[in-house]
């Protein structure tokens, strides 16, 4: 089920979108069966790009921090999904500890925490915030922009459990992407549910692994609904470790980029697409939106040394990433909100789509990374009367759910994430 | 979880409501554990009366027909709940057959069917309507008030399965209360899920059994939250078979009524309630709202023969019910919508509260049965910004969810119905 939210799409429905809308019962059944075999992540935020001819996920965040960006009218959906998740994980649960990110917390992040707290409180849990930031030594009251406050308490480790003073949670909900690695206080928690698990942390995840899982999912799904999987899956090349400070590393990267641009030109020709293809060079490991570089031509890839002498263009170009490198097909976004380039971000709890928002950026182009400073967020509300039943009326006017396609693409990315987490689960590896 | 819908309640929150609001996490956990032990009905509509000092269910409908009375903005909740139900019952399901009631179908009932169809279609099923009315001999197109149409097809029995021509459903959703008994075409369906089951039909259900189950549930729940169970449970007396055409039967009924009015006067005195207690005389078996009679004094109970001679008052009094009789405590309703007496009706799918509406009646009093000709229905929409998170703000203004109490009372009635269905399940009886 995908709620009918208002999207910025108002053009005609193209073949791909119509195919997905028509196949709704088949698609929903397929997801039901997937979730019988695989465990969905506790929650997930998926950024999507819609180029018109293709639609694909460009970021699958397992520690979503934008809950406050969801339209308030979608809150009951999130609560109901949270309730379904709790019933599955730990129906006896009384208490939930949310572990926020460490370091200074912005007012936006606090609003995110407030919304998350509200969702799980309304689902029937006592929710408290336990910080693992060593700087948080005592219970601290944090003021929100709306005049309310949140209380942040230092998380305490006692043998095999984490909690607060006089607060023993059954489940710990992580809202920190662990970009500095797994903190000791959260390791070896065999008596409590830690969700998402430590191996969902950014130092463990590899983009190449996620992309490979997504390719597998897309192939199977493409077969199901009868579409070329490329229409929902960006190509990628795992380049391995490249030292881009050395000419040999840069040459290898240029080779990968050239090869992919060639493949893309052929695909674009096959589908009669007039746009210019581009790729994104990324580190295999790293947080969403960081360490990316958009490349339209392999010749753009210069050594930092030569860049210094190149003059005017150099300051615009971000530093080339170092280490393990992935080259991924870039996906244009044709969506616009208030004239700004926009990409939808779909939020899920357990296996349910519970809302979404647009990430927009006034200063970026349709082939740029929007997950960058200056981005703003526009909630997607429910589509008022548009979702009133008009069923059975063949040929009668019926407002299609333009958000449906995004709900499908986002859940495919979530299925891929579940494959990925299975592949990296230390317990499964111990059994294997 | 109970969605925050706008109720007509705007007075101060009394002790009972506050107790339930404060105990939210305890209550939600209790329901979670109940649903681990017991199977909720597929869907359920519970009419509730709020007298201020006490709140209780007055009708638990296992074949709810008012889905079109729910506010359209609550539709996604119903869809998500339907999806959770399908995942549990038959995740491989492709097809769902809805069996509507037989006989002439009003435009209201067709709107109800359209909404039900929409809910399960959006949950990912191919939904078709299969009539078991022998008068429906071929596929029939039915026009709805909004200009759309529904197609009603004759249900066909083939050995152990029911379906349509070229349509084999995994699950059959009954929307007929079976007030004429179980139809042969639906018996012995061992290969398909028939929900609700045949023994939920009106000729099998007994009010006394439901009330007894509800009393048991209320006692346990009262202990949990520390309240007198009477505050959420109407008293009842199972009078057995009484022939009210005979003086001996009428005398026995007067005795039961007198005894209950006496008990109620003592309870009212204990709680300092200034109202005049009343009881409702009902047949033990029968459809909601039918065969009821409100009695304020045992002397009102006259033999039909003497009533004929009593003149002016007689025409107002409905016929006394015949057969097995139950006397139940009457519960006042203090809610008003547009000056009309109102009672909330809460709708649930599986274990989730998914919406509600008010049943109002301009020509009835606060102690009358509102489930009668002339009743109108007012949808309860989501409480706009009222459910925005304002968490953690101790003492800060926080709009309480006045619908919560109704969501709790309705689910208690649903738990009682699940006990009741277990007690009357022929398969369980065969095992015992």
């Amino acid at each position: 089920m995908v709620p009918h939210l208002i999207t910025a799409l108002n053009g005609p429905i193209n073949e791909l979108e119509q195919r997905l809308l028509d196949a709704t019962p088949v698609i929903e059944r397929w997801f039901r069966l997937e979730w019988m075999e695989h465990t969905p992540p506790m929650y997930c935020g998926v950024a999507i790009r819609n180029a018109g001819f293709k639609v694909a996920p460009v970021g699958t965040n397992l520690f979503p921090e934008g809950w406050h960006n969801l339209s308030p009218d979608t809150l009951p959906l999130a609560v109901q999904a949270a309730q379904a998740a709790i019933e599955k994980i730990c129906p006896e649960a009384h208490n939930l500890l949310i572990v926020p990110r460490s370091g200074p917390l912005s007012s936006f992040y606090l609003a995110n925490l407030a919304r998350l707290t509200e969702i799980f409180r309304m689902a029937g849990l006592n929710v408290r915030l336990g910080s693992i930031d060593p700087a948080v030594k005592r219970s601290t009251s944090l003021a929100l922009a709306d005049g309310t406050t949140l209380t942040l308490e230092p998380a305490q480790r006692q043998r095999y459990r984490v909690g607060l003073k006089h607060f023993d949670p059954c489940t710990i909900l992580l809202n920190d992407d662990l970009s500095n690695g797994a903190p000791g206080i959260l390791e070896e928690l065999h008596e409590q549910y830690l969700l998402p698990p430590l191996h969902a942390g950014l130092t463990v995840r590899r983009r190449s692994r996620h992309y490979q899982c997504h390719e597998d999912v897309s192939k199977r799904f493409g077969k199901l609904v009868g579409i070329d999987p490329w229409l929902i899956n960006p190509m990628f090349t795992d380049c391995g470790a490249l030292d881009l400070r050395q000419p040999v590393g840069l040459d290898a990267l240029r080779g990968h980029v050239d090869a992919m641009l060639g493949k893309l030109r052929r695909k674009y020709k096959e589908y009669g697409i007039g746009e210019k293809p581009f790729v994104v060079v990324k580190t295999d490991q790293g947080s969403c939106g960081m360490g990316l570089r958009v490349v339209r031509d392999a010749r753009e890839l210069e050594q930092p040394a030569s860049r210094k002498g190149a003059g005017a263009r150099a300051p615009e170009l971000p530093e080339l990433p170092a280490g393990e490198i992935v080259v991924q097909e870039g996906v244009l976004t044709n969506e616009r909100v208030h004239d700004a380039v926009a990409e939808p971000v779909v939020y899920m709890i357990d296996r349910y789509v519970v809302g979404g928002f647009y990430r927009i950026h006034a200063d970026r182009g349709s082939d740029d990374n929007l997950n960058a400073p200056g981005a703003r967020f526009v909630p997607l509300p429910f589509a008022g009367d548009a979702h009133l039943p008009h069923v059975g009326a063949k040929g009668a006017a019926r407002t299609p759910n333009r958000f449906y396609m995004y709900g499908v693409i986002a859940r495919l990315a979530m299925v891929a994430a579940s494959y990925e987490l299975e592949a990296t689960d230390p317990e499964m590896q111990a059994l294997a």
Side-chain angles (χ1 to χ4, degrees), chain A residues 42-302:
Chain A
M42 180 66 191
Y43 52 16
C44 192
V46 176
I48 289 171
R49 284 180 164 241
N50 182 359
F53 61 90
K54 82 181 281 177
V55 186
V58 291
T60 303
N61 186 352
L62 298 180
F63 301 96
E65 298 186 349
W67 292 96
H68 57 298
N69 292 325
L70 301 183
S71 176
D73 60 354
T74 62
L75 182 63
L77 274 185
V79 175
Q80 198 171 283
Q83 203 180 16
I86 297 161
E87 276 166 11
K88 211 174 48 178
I89 298 160
C90 181
E92 302 87 355
H94 286 286
N95 298 334
L96 178 80
L97 187 71
I98 297 181
V99 174
R101 67 153 87 136
S102 298
L105 305 180
S106 71
S107 63
F108 300 113
Y109 186 73
L110 292 180
N112 163 67
L113 283 184
R115 185 71 73 92
L116 260 185
T117 303
E118 181 74 355
I119 289 168
F120 284 92
R121 195 194 62 83
M122 285 177 69
L125 294 169
N126 302 307
V127 183
R128 284 165 72 175
L129 302 173
S131 177
I132 55 170
D133 186 340
V136 177
K137 294 196 196 310
R138 66 178 70 83
S139 175
T140 312
S141 193
L142 300 166
L144 273 78
D146 67 357
T148 60
T149 56
L150 280 177
T151 303
L152 195 63
E153 298 171 78
Q156 298 179 343
R157 176 76 184 229
Q158 279 177 341
R159 293 184 61 89
Y160 300 113
R161 300 182 76 87
V162 156
L164 304 176
K165 209 172 171 181
H166 309 306
F167 185 78
D168 184 24
C170 148
T171 303
I172 297 145
L173 182 69
L174 251 183
N175 197 240
D176 177 351
D177 62 15
L178 306 180
S179 48
N180 295 319
I185 188 172
L186 296 181
E187 285 178 317
E188 314 269 328
L189 290 177
H190 301 304
E191 296 181 358
Q192 289 167 305
Y193 297 93
L194 177 64
L195 298 168
L198 291 180
H199 64 278
L202 279 191
T203 55
V204 180
R205 287 188 79 191
R206 291 286 176 275
R207 288 194 164 105
S208 55
R209 193 184 288 117
H210 182 75
Y211 298 159
Q212 186 56 57
C213 292
H214 191 263
E215 188 173 298
D216 298 344
V217 172
S218 299
K219 277 182 188 162
R220 292 181 44 229
F221 184 81
K223 210 168 170 182
L224 177 83
V225 296
I227 56 168
D228 178 352
W230 177 69
L231 297 177
I232 53 169
N233 181 48
M235 288 183 191
F236 79 99
T237 306
D238 182 358
C239 309
L242 295 180
D243 185 349
L244 301 182
R245 289 162 306 185
Q246 305 296 330
V248 61
L250 213 50
D251 276 347
L253 178 60
R254 277 199 208 98
H256 287 302
V257 167
D258 246 351
M260 177 155 306
L261 286 171
K263 278 198 254 181
L264 288 176
R265 274 188 289 268
R266 285 191 291 280
K267 270 288 187 190
Y268 275 36
K269 202 173 165 191
E270 179 189 338
Y271 282 92
I273 298 156
E275 311 282 348
K276 191 174 156 63
F278 65 102
V279 301
V280 186
V281 177
K282 305 178 175 184
T283 51
D284 196 18
Q285 182 201 327
S287 72
C288 302
M290 299 301 171
L292 305 188
R293 180 146 161 214
V294 172
V295 181
R296 294 161 193 83
D297 188 319
R299 284 169 299 182
E300 290 174 31
L301 294 165
E302 295 158 355

